[in-house]
Amino acid sequence: MMRGNLRHVGLGVVLGLAVLGLGASATDNQGLELLAALGEARQTLDQSLGEQVGRHLQGDGGLTGASLRVEARDGVVTLEGQVPDQHALQRAMHLAAAVKGVREVRNNLVISPPV
């Protein structure tokens, strides 16, 4: 839990520095460097959130037979892949939404019963 809070604080610091740096008499290079750092921080947060959701889904026995992919961007998680039934689809959506930092879950899952 503490690591997640530190990441959000880190992004806040980067955002604050970017605003201060761009608002002051920063050179163009400094402004570009700050924007690049901000983009990298956001990408790191997105990747971390996607990994957390993926681990949460993989560890759940109710999703046996599912083939899932997770993408995250700015707190919005998109689930893609195949699940065996409607129950597994709803379970995956619920589990993803329960991960701290997830603001919204988008469903691109397909129900594909096992043969």
Side-chain angles (χ1 to χ4, degrees):
M1 294 295 171
M2 183 63 167
R3 278 185 60 197
N5 291 337
L6 289 177
R7 273 183 276 206
H8 291 287
V9 169
L11 182 58
V13 169
V14 171
L15 283 170
L17 290 173
V19 170
L20 289 174
L22 293 175
S25 60
T27 66
D28 288 342
N29 286 340
Q30 287 172 323
L32 291 175
E33 288 172 9
L34 287 169
L35 289 174
L38 178 59
E40 288 175 21
R42 191 189 86 217
Q43 187 176 20
T44 299
L45 288 172
D46 289 342
Q47 181 178 355
S48 176
L49 183 60
E51 289 170 358
Q52 287 176 2
V53 170
R55 282 192 302 273
H56 202 63
L57 296 173
Q58 285 179 338
D60 187 78
L63 295 176
T64 303
S67 172
L68 304 173
R69 290 179 305 283
V70 179
E71 290 187 26
R73 183 172 175 100
D74 298 328
V76 177
V77 170
T78 303
L79 300 180
E80 299 178 341
Q82 298 178 346
V83 292
D85 54 38
Q86 183 67 30
H87 175 74
L89 185 148
Q90 291 174 341
R91 183 150 184 84
M93 297 288 290
H94 175 75
L95 289 170
V99 174
K100 185 174 182 171
V102 174
R103 294 184 302 110
E104 177 185 341
V105 179
R106 294 186 181 162
N107 173 23
N108 287 344
L109 296 170
V110 175
I111 296 174
S112 179
V115 280

